[in-house]
Amino acid sequence: MTEYQSYYIVNAVHAVITSKELIKQIAELPNVEKITPNNKIELVEPVEDDEEPETASYSVRNSIFEPDEKNIEWGVSMVHADKVWDDFHINGEGVTVGIIDTGVNYNLPAIQKAFKGYDESTGKIDNRYYKDFIDDLPEPEASSVNDHGTHVAGIIGAKHNSYGINGVLSNCTLYGYDCLPDENQKPYMMSQSCMLYGLIACVEKGCKVINYSVGFSEDEKNLTDIEKYEMGNNWSKYMYIMLHRAKIRQSGNKDDFIVVQAADGYRKNKIANIKGRDASNTGFFACIAKENCYHKDDISVNDILDRILIVANAEEKKDGYILDVTSNGGEKISVSAPGDNVYSTVKDGYAMDGGTSMAAPMVAGAVAGIWSIYPEMTGAEVKNAIVETAEDKVKSNPKAPNSADNNQNIYKFLNIKKALQYCEMKKIKEKEVAEMAEE
């Protein structure tokens, strides 16, 4: 055994073992339930669309985009986030969002004030609220290795500062966890164990929303049914333990949370260009189903499934929206959001990227927005508000022949304004029922 790390909360241990005999001996111990491989994962890499522009708005999104206070970034506008800032007086204050990614360059002006631990008097950030699980650096590197996570962070919570963009929520609080190495680092660290460590850290710090813009990749190879079952069972057990701890603490919904995961999809390699597939091949939370979901009496299958949102990437065309050719699809998709040519923060300022990685933080921001106004709502209620009010207007993509939906599905498209209106009406009805009961 060359290395090990204890995950005490979920009763798991990550170990690097080269001896088959030692693995066998550990498996035979009476207090060892199972041994699973520490599968490698990849970022959901941003992609460039190779199709010709079809709409005027598409052309704008592919040009140099420098929005001012009135020129809202296109994706934020399409999900109606800008319409709720004033109508609902919403900015995400009081809600913490965890970003499990490459790390976040929190020293950028657009996101610095949003980061947990920011001291306005000194302009510095207390690095106790940042964790690098790969290199154990005290703070994020000011380099492109953090661009993926930094871009995601900007979509959620960037603050317009006479230049740049407003994210979906400009006043939420961000945590950043570096759980993914760059291509030159140890390959085994690009693994499920790091993703689990990030989940534990986010829940421990009280993050209400946890964004995973990552996916499990084997190039053109789909996960087998057995692999999906095992992965879903493992990750549902982690979810169960977190929710069970919250119930034991009797903290109400203070420790409640929702996981938002990108649907993944696009892979470029020397063998093939893989387009949309079944989103269950994304791995992690996307593998959890009723059939393999770990549960006990106090936490049901629905309690777990109702706290997971799998997000696809919707692309705008002249005749409406379609699922982007790079995005996985199928029944696992909870909702879609704009992910094509999204403008957000990077090392040198701002840049455009695209993919489900950029769609997921749109939804994460929406979840945080609802919780900032209605903190008493449960994770299940928040997810229901997002999904029930999303518009059925995203068609399947006929250019994705490997897509699991066989070009028959209509996907839901995020609408933050409708979700908040839904919550408002729900609270009004609950108040009316309570008043009638008192009469």
Side-chain angles (χ1 to χ4, degrees), residues 117-333:
Y118 175 74
D119 186 337
E120 194 165 359
S121 64
T122 63
K124 295 182 179 181
I125 292 175
D126 186 337
N127 61 15
R128 289 180 299 172
Y129 301 101
Y130 177 85
K131 179 65 178 177
D132 183 341
F133 293 111
I134 305 300
D135 299 308
D136 200 27
L137 297 176
E139 63 179 38
E141 297 176 80
S143 70
S144 59
V145 299
N146 293 318
D147 274 357
H148 190 276
T150 303
H151 200 269
V152 167
I155 294 169
I156 297 171
K159 191 173 184 65
H160 186 278
N161 185 21
S162 74
Y163 171 78
I165 63 165
N166 275 313
V168 175
L169 293 171
S170 61
N171 206 27
C172 64
T173 301
L174 301 177
Y175 276 88
Y177 293 102
D178 187 349
C179 297
L180 287 164
D182 64 46
E183 61 185 8
N184 297 318
Q185 291 173 305
K186 299 178 182 179
Y188 74 81
M189 291 301 291
M190 206 170 186
S191 60
Q192 291 192 70
S193 62
C194 287
M195 296 299 100
L196 174 58
Y197 215 159
L199 174 65
I200 293 171
C202 284
V203 174
E204 281 289 276
K205 295 294 186 181
C207 294
K208 302 292 288 183
V209 193
I210 305 169
N211 189 92
Y212 278 84
S213 286
V214 298
F216 186 87
S217 172
E218 286 289 344
D219 296 322
E220 77 282 1
K221 176 186 174 184
N222 289 330
L223 294 173
T224 67
D225 289 343
I226 293 176
E227 288 172 330
K228 292 176 185 177
Y229 186 94
E230 282 294 315
M231 192 175 295
N233 183 257
N234 289 337
W235 283 86
S236 64
K237 188 170 186 178
Y238 304 146
M239 290 280 288
Y240 165 81
I241 293 172
M242 300 298 180
L243 294 171
H244 176 68
R245 288 178 75 244
K247 182 163 286 191
I248 290 176
R249 289 178 175 180
Q250 297 182 338
S251 57
N253 70 339
K254 179 183 177 183
D255 294 321
D256 206 351
F257 63 94
I258 285 179
V259 171
V260 179
Q261 183 181 349
D264 199 4
Y266 190 89
R267 288 286 177 266
K268 279 186 176 180
N269 55 60
K270 295 179 180 179
I271 301 174
N273 288 337
I274 308 302
K275 297 182 179 179
R277 298 184 288 177
D278 191 315
S280 61
N281 290 293
T282 306
F284 302 110
F285 307 97
C287 286
I288 301 175
K290 289 185 177 180
E291 297 74 24
N292 65 0
C293 187
Y294 180 92
H295 65 284
K296 289 186 178 179
D297 292 341
D298 60 331
I299 304 294
S300 70
V301 169
N302 287 337
D303 286 334
I304 293 171
L305 292 175
D306 286 345
R307 285 164 175 81
I308 299 170
L309 284 162
I310 308 300
V311 184
N313 175 13
E315 177 184 3
E316 185 184 15
K317 295 292 185 181
K318 60 185 177 183
D319 57 347
Y321 286 89
I322 67 170
L323 200 69
D324 192 274
V325 72
T326 69
S327 178
N328 282 342
E331 295 180 356
K332 288 292 184 180
I333 302 301

Side-chain angles (χ1 to χ4, degrees), residues 5-14 192-194 196-198 200:
Q5 174 66 52
S6 174
Y7 300 88
Y8 66 95
I9 292 177
V10 295
N11 295 324
V13 175
H14 163 236
Q192 291 192 70
S193 62
C194 287
L196 174 58
Y197 215 159
I200 293 171

Side-chain angles (χ1 to χ4, degrees), residues 343-364:
Y343 190 73
S344 186
T345 46
V346 293
K347 173 180 72 74
D348 296 322
Y350 298 88
M352 283 186 177
D353 269 331
T356 57
S357 276
M358 282 69 244
M362 294 275 184
V363 177

